[in-house]
Amino acid sequence: VSTQSTGVSVPADFGRHHLGSPSHGNLAFNMKEGDPIKANSIIMSLNSPVIDDLTTNLHMTSLDSEDFSREAVDCFIESSYTGEIEAVTLENFRDVNKMSHVFKVNWLSDRCVGYFDNYLKMLDTESSYTDLVFVVNEAVYQLSTTKKKVFLDLVAQKFSQFPAGKVECFFKEYLSNFGDSNTCVIDCCIAIAQSNTDIIVKIFLEHLEKKELKVLDAGSRALLKRVDLSSCFIKKPELHERFFTVLDQITTVDQDDMKLILSLFKQASAPKKAVIPVDVSVHVSLPTFKPYLDMSYDEAVESLLNKKYITNLYMLFDAMWIYFDENEQEVPFADLLE
């Protein structure tokens, strides 16, 4: 990234030894607790167009940083000075990543994605719940605050490499307080589970059965609004009867729940469109086509188009191929395509 006004490219090493220098620290990051953290406004402005605008045009000498941890602010400043992210840890990652977006330090945002991706690459089937929950929580947080799915897509790709049993064990613990799960959490879980959404549905059913709920809670509503039950029941038919048996125990239904249940019924009862695979198409045999061999090309096409057994373009092309082959004529592909 080049700063147009100076020609200086960042990230760059402006000198770690300048960190904390009283004579250089003319910009204060005000913290929720403790003394402000000082930094050089020029170095920070070269990294961040937001800070550049605040200090150069609005003449600000301090920035409110109460929303970020002291460790994260220290790391953010150090990275701006050195062009490296050596101080990033699992504990300060979220705040450092957030600061990179708030202050539009694009190179640091990219490095945070790289840090996240490298951490994911270290995970395997032996990784603990604590190792996995970090990446899922960060994916949920990013989606809820920025609507971006960068982390979510990376996590979904990694979880697709795990056996279904590993994924199920994780989600059983992650969704242990299913009723308190918000829509964003449910969306992420469904996206990460991918074709194994039956795992999420089973956890939902176990939640209702265990709690003996008579009314839908927030997590249940979120799942029922988001999950594709049709594909779930196709994959796991045994869940169908269990699903509606459990749902039958809900005795208190408000207007919104009634609309939700009606939408589920509509989804489950919608007629399925039949799809005829190409490999089962019926070929037009020579005896069937024989009456058309004495016709002209235009007459044969018009007559064939009015026949019920010509149900798709493949069959029409097959018939016309026979027509030209039997009449020992070259097949006019251009005319057929027209």
Side-chain angles (χ1 to χ4, degrees), residues 37-272:
I37 301 176
K38 299 293 187 67
N40 182 264
S41 62
I42 298 297
I43 293 176
M44 301 309 297
S45 294
L46 289 172
N47 282 276
S48 164
V50 174
I51 294 178
D52 185 30
D53 180 60
L54 294 174
T55 56
T56 304
N57 299 322
L58 300 182
H59 311 298
M60 295 179 66
T61 58
S62 65
L63 303 175
D64 293 332
S65 307
E66 290 88 349
D67 292 339
F68 311 114
S69 69
R70 178 172 290 272
E71 293 74 15
V73 175
D74 277 333
C75 179
F76 177 73
I77 294 173
E78 179 179 325
S79 296
S80 298
Y81 273 64
T82 66
E84 303 294 339
I85 61 168
E86 296 173 356
V88 174
T89 64
L90 296 184
E91 289 71 27
N92 66 28
F93 174 81
R94 179 177 294 182
D95 276 356
V96 173
N97 185 46
K98 184 177 178 181
M99 291 187 76
S100 73
H101 285 88
V102 169
F103 293 109
K104 296 184 179 179
V105 184
N106 294 332
W107 73 264
L108 184 55
S109 299
D110 293 341
R111 294 283 185 88
C112 285
V113 174
Y115 178 93
F116 188 83
D117 190 31
N118 287 334
Y119 180 83
L120 274 172
K121 289 175 181 176
M122 296 188 296
L123 301 179
D124 55 29
T125 55
E126 300 300 320
S127 297
S128 67
Y129 172 79
T130 303
D131 295 331
L132 297 175
V133 78
F134 166 76
V135 294
V136 174
N137 281 342
E138 292 308 312
V140 171
Y141 181 77
Q142 185 188 58
L143 182 64
S144 65
T145 56
T146 68
K147 307 304 179 186
K148 294 182 179 179
K149 296 183 177 181
V150 178
F151 290 168
L152 179 58
D153 290 341
L154 290 172
V155 174
Q157 182 180 8
K158 170 55 80 172
F159 269 65
S160 69
Q161 300 169 11
F162 296 153
K166 176 75 174 179
V167 176
E168 184 170 4
C169 286
F170 171 80
F171 280 124
K172 277 188 175 180
E173 187 167 354
Y174 190 73
L175 296 172
S176 57
N177 295 317
F178 195 96
D180 297 328
S181 303
N182 59 39
T183 300
C184 189
V185 169
I186 296 298
D187 281 346
C188 286
C189 289
I190 291 174
I192 294 170
Q194 299 183 69
S195 61
N196 294 314
T197 51
D198 56 285
I199 291 174
I200 312 297
V201 173
K202 282 181 2 185
I203 295 172
F204 155 72
L205 294 177
E206 289 168 2
H207 163 68
L208 291 185
E209 290 170 336
K210 182 178 179 181
K211 299 289 185 179
E212 296 183 352
L213 296 178
K214 303 301 180 184
V215 61
L216 293 175
D217 50 32
S220 300
R221 289 193 188 97
L223 176 77
L224 294 176
K225 289 177 181 178
R226 304 295 190 180
V227 73
D228 181 359
L229 289 174
S230 297
S231 60
C232 180
F233 292 153
I234 290 173
K235 183 177 180 181
K236 298 287 184 179
E238 67 274 13
L239 284 179
H240 183 273
E241 183 176 353
R242 182 183 174 193
F243 178 87
F244 286 101
T245 298
V246 172
L247 207 61
D248 190 50
Q249 76 184 24
I250 303 298
T251 57
T252 304
V253 182
D254 60 20
Q255 185 176 1
D256 290 336
D257 288 344
M258 178 58 71
K259 290 180 179 179
L260 178 57
I261 292 172
L262 285 174
S263 70
L264 293 175
F265 176 77
K266 182 179 180 181
Q267 181 187 142
S269 60
K272 301 294 187 295

